[in-house]
Amino acid sequence: MALSEFQLIDRVFAARAAARADVSLGIGDDAALLSVPAGMELAVAIDGLHAGIHFPEDTDPKAIGHKALAVNLSDLAAMGADPAWATLFLSLPHPDETFASHFADGFFSLAERFGVALVGGDTVRGPLCAVVQAHGFVPAGEALRRSGARPGDGIYVTGTLGDAGAGLGVVQGRLDIAAPDGDFLRNRLDYPEARLRTGRALRGVASAAIDVSDGILSDLGHILSQSGVGGRIEIGCLPRSEVLLRTLPEPDGINLALSAGDDYELCFTVAADHEPRLQSLAEGLECPITRIGRIESESGLRLIGPDGRIYACDGSGYDHFKGTDNGRDDGDH
Ligand code: ADP
Ligand code: MG
C-alpha cells in the first residue's frame, strides 16, 4: 500500500525504534539529542548501499535492511567501538509499506541484537538506496586504528574469507553451485555478521584493525600503507569455509579468499607479546580467528604458497569476473 512519507516514517520506523537512556530525543523532531558518556570518544561511520551496485536488484528487502546496518556496525567493530545509535537515509522508488516493513524487519532485528537505537533519518522518493550512519562509543584513546601495525606483529582474520564473493557469483549465474551450498554462500553475501564482540575484545590487544569489505589484499593493504610497513601472507593459512573448499577448485577458491569483497570479517594485527593473550581470548569470541601471516619492515605484501615460494596473484581478483566489471561496478565500500 502506498503511504505518505510521514505515515511511512511513523508506522515503519518510529514505531520500532528502541529507547536508550542516552537518547534524550529520537525520531520526530528536526534533530536527535544524544549524550556521549564521560570518558568515551564517539566513533561515527557511514556507508550506503545502492541497488545493482552494492546488492543485486533481486535482493530480499529484509536482507537489504540487515546489510545496510551490518556494514556500518562492521566499521564500528573494526574500531573496537560499542554501537549505540543509527540514522537512516532511505530512498524508495515507491512509498511501499510492504517493502519498507520487510526492510525494517532486517534492520531492526540486527539493531535489537546489539542494542542500537534508530534516532533519525530521511525518507525520500528516488532510486532504491539505503545509507546508514552508525555511532558508537570507545574509551578515549583505545580505538583500533589502521596505522598501528609494527614489524613482527601477527596478521589475523576472523571467520572465513571468499564466501560472499562466491555468493555473488551464484547470484549472477557465473558460478553454478546448487542448494544448500549455493544458499549458504548467498546468505553470506546478504547477511554479513558484524564482528562486534571481537572488535571490542581486541581493544588493548590488537595493534591495528580494519574490516574486510573489499577483499583481504586491498584491506590489509590499507593497514600496511597507513602503518608504513609490509608483510607476508601464507596462502595455505587463509581460512575458507567447508562449502567454499568443496565447491570451488583451486586456484579460484584461494583467489576469491584473497580478492573478493563483502565478507565483513575483521583483519587485525597483534604484537608477538600480546599473542598469548589473544589465544586466551579466542574461545570467548563469536567466531574462530586465524593467523594468516606476519608484518615485516620491507614494504609491500608478499604472498607465500604452500611450497614456500612466492604465490603469483595479480591482485585484481577472481578470473571468472574478468570482463564483467569484476562482478560489481563500484570497487569500494
Ligand atoms: P526534516 O524535514 O526536519 O528533516 P523529516 O520530515 O524529514 O524532518 O523527518 C521527520 C522525522 O523523522 C525526523 O526526526 C527524522 O529524523 C525522522 N526520519 C525520517 N526518515 C527516517 C527514517 N528512514 N528512519 C528514521 N527516522 C527517520
Ligand atoms: Mg528530512
Side-chain angles (χ1 to χ4, degrees):
M1 186 178 83
L3 296 176
S4 76
E5 173 193 347
F6 302 108
Q7 287 172 317
L8 196 72
I9 296 166
D10 283 349
R11 286 170 49 169
V12 179
F13 294 106
R16 297 183 64 175
R20 280 178 61 108
D22 50 20
V23 179
S24 320
L25 188 60
I27 294 174
D29 213 311
D30 293 309
L33 297 174
L34 310 164
S35 324
V36 179
M40 295 287 184
E41 283 179 309
L42 183 64
V44 180
I46 184 166
D47 253 327
L49 305 182
H50 280 85
I53 299 176
H54 300 100
F55 58 87
E57 304 268 3
D58 71 342
T59 302
D60 182 345
K62 187 175 173 197
I64 303 169
H66 171 98
K67 190 164 181 174
L69 180 58
V71 300
N72 284 282
L73 297 185
S74 177
D75 282 324
L76 295 185
M79 298 302 289
D82 293 320
W85 314 310
T87 52
L88 167 65
F89 169 90
L90 188 60
S91 170
L92 296 173
H94 316 283
D96 169 350
E97 187 174 9
T98 307
F99 181 97
S101 66
H102 285 124
F103 176 97
D105 287 343
F107 185 96
F108 285 111
S109 62
L110 179 60
E112 281 157 22
R113 275 174 53 209
F114 292 108
V116 174
L118 180 66
V119 297
D122 199 13
T123 308
V124 303
R125 190 186 283 232
L128 180 58
C129 164
V131 182
V132 171
Q133 185 168 42
H135 309 73
F137 307 139
V138 60
E142 292 187 25
L144 307 174
R145 301 174 184 224
R146 297 177 177 184
S147 54
R150 296 293 172 260
D153 293 359
I155 303 171
Y156 291 81
V157 288
T158 59
T160 57
L161 298 174
D163 296 326
L168 183 65
V170 171
V171 174
Q172 295 181 333
R174 287 176 288 102
L175 291 178
D176 184 17
I177 301 176
D181 289 347
D183 294 341
F184 167 85
L185 296 169
R186 169 128 207 198
N187 204 58
R188 290 273 289 155
L189 175 71
D190 285 345
Y191 289 94
E193 265 300 315
R195 301 303 189 188
L196 285 157
R197 190 153 14 127
T198 302
R200 176 181 227 278
L202 290 174
R203 287 181 202 156
V205 176
S207 50
I210 192 168
D211 66 323
V212 184
S213 52
D214 296 324
I216 190 86
L217 286 184
S218 165
D219 291 314
L220 175 59
H222 295 307
I223 289 186
L224 300 183
S225 60
Q226 294 194 29
S227 299
V229 294
R232 65 169 52 210
I233 290 181
E234 310 283 343
I235 292 298
C237 296
L238 288 170
R240 284 175 291 153
S241 66
E242 292 292 321
V243 171
L244 198 68
L245 286 169
R246 73 168 164 260
T247 53
L248 273 193
E250 302 310 349
D252 294 348
I254 288 280
N255 286 342
L256 271 182
L258 283 169
S259 305
D262 275 324
D263 285 318
Y264 295 98
E265 297 295 347
L266 295 183
C267 172
F268 56 95
T269 58
V270 178
D273 290 358
H274 280 143
E275 289 187 289
R277 207 164 135 213
L278 179 68
Q279 292 315 321
S280 65
L281 283 175
E283 271 184 25
L285 300 177
E286 70 269 58
C287 59
I289 56 172
T290 309
R291 191 175 71 75
I292 60 168
R294 244 176 229 288
I295 298 293
E296 297 173 330
S297 50
E298 186 189 340
S299 67
L301 182 61
R302 288 156 287 283
L303 306 178
I304 311 300
D307 55 2
R309 292 168 187 238
I310 295 286
Y311 180 87
C313 172
D314 63 11
S316 64
Y318 184 43
D319 266 1
H320 287 185
F321 297 180
K322 288 225 173 100
T324 61
D325 285 332
N326 210 22
R328 33 190 277 175
D329 331 324
D330 63 317
D332 281 310
H333 271 261

